[in-house]
Amino acid sequence: MSADEKNNLKLIVKNQKDLEVISAYIQDSIVVVKDIVFLKKNRIFVMIINRFMWENLNQSKYYKNKRIRTAIKFEDVLKVKSKSINQKNKNKILECLAIKCNKNLDNNFEIKIFFSGDNVITLIVEEIEVVMNDLGKAWDVQSVPKHKI
């Protein structure tokens, strides 16, 4: 393990407030449809994303924009729904915007993962059990994601 990899993020989330932290970290991440999987029998939903490392932005004048492969695992998943995502198009690229969470009438939680282009994945979970873990080494990228307001 390199020195860079020792500084990789690992977050464990157990409540709605902490989920907001993961939402901030994954903003502008890129995910390919083939890197999203629901293991129904195990009740686990996993996404492997290319996360823009916002936490390192402007740390020094020598800073370089970076991305890193990151796994996000949701446990206790009862159901997964998607809106506007063609799951047969395995190479389609999605850009993560945010994660929002609400408690529903069944006393379960509804976690919505929003992507650009009005694409949404909704997870129905019994409990909030999420782990976000950086994988390997980061790499340099040319630009910082920008949004039109």
Side-chain angles (χ1 to χ4, degrees):
M1 180 182 293
S2 71
D4 288 342
E5 291 175 278
K6 288 180 184 171
N7 294 325
N8 282 1
L9 276 178
K10 180 168 186 173
L11 302 175
I12 299 171
V13 169
K14 300 274 190 181
N15 60 50
Q16 288 174 277
K17 194 76 175 153
D18 289 346
L19 201 52
E20 292 174 14
V21 174
I22 283 188
S23 179
Y25 274 112
I26 72 154
Q27 181 182 351
D28 296 308
S29 293
I30 296 167
V31 61
V32 181
V33 169
K34 67 183 174 189
D35 290 335
I36 301 171
V37 66
F38 176 40
L39 304 169
K40 191 173 186 175
K41 196 180 261 188
N42 299 31
R43 296 174 30 159
I44 293 173
F45 178 87
V46 179
M47 289 192 320
I48 307 293
I49 63 174
N50 292 333
R51 184 174 72 78
F52 185 81
M53 298 178 75
W54 288 107
E55 68 273 19
N56 293 342
L57 199 59
N58 299 326
Q59 282 196 349
S60 78
K61 65 181 181 178
Y62 303 108
Y63 171 78
K64 292 184 178 180
N65 300 315
K66 293 187 178 288
R67 285 195 181 268
I68 190 165
R69 294 284 281 168
T70 301
I72 305 172
K73 179 175 78 167
F74 298 81
E75 297 194 25
D76 294 323
V77 180
L78 302 171
K79 186 176 183 181
V80 176
K81 300 182 282 185
S82 67
K83 176 186 170 198
S84 302
I85 298 174
N86 180 354
Q87 295 169 31
K88 291 181 181 169
N89 185 355
K90 300 284 185 194
N91 294 317
K92 178 164 176 63
I93 296 170
L94 304 170
E95 183 181 351
C96 299
L97 300 177
I99 297 176
K100 301 283 182 194
C101 181
N102 296 302
K103 205 159 199 177
N104 68 19
L105 297 175
D106 296 335
N107 231 13
N108 292 318
F109 293 93
E110 182 179 79
I111 298 173
K112 290 190 176 216
I113 307 167
F114 294 93
F115 302 92
S116 62
D118 200 30
N119 297 293
V120 181
I121 294 175
T122 303
L123 310 176
I124 307 300
V125 301
E126 282 187 317
E127 297 291 329
I128 298 174
E129 293 259 350
V130 183
V131 175
M132 184 180 104
N133 195 15
D134 287 344
L135 309 169
K137 281 181 72 171
W139 66 92
D140 297 343
V141 293
Q142 291 295 316
S143 59
V144 175
K146 293 180 183 165
H147 301 274
K148 293 178 185 174
I149 297 177

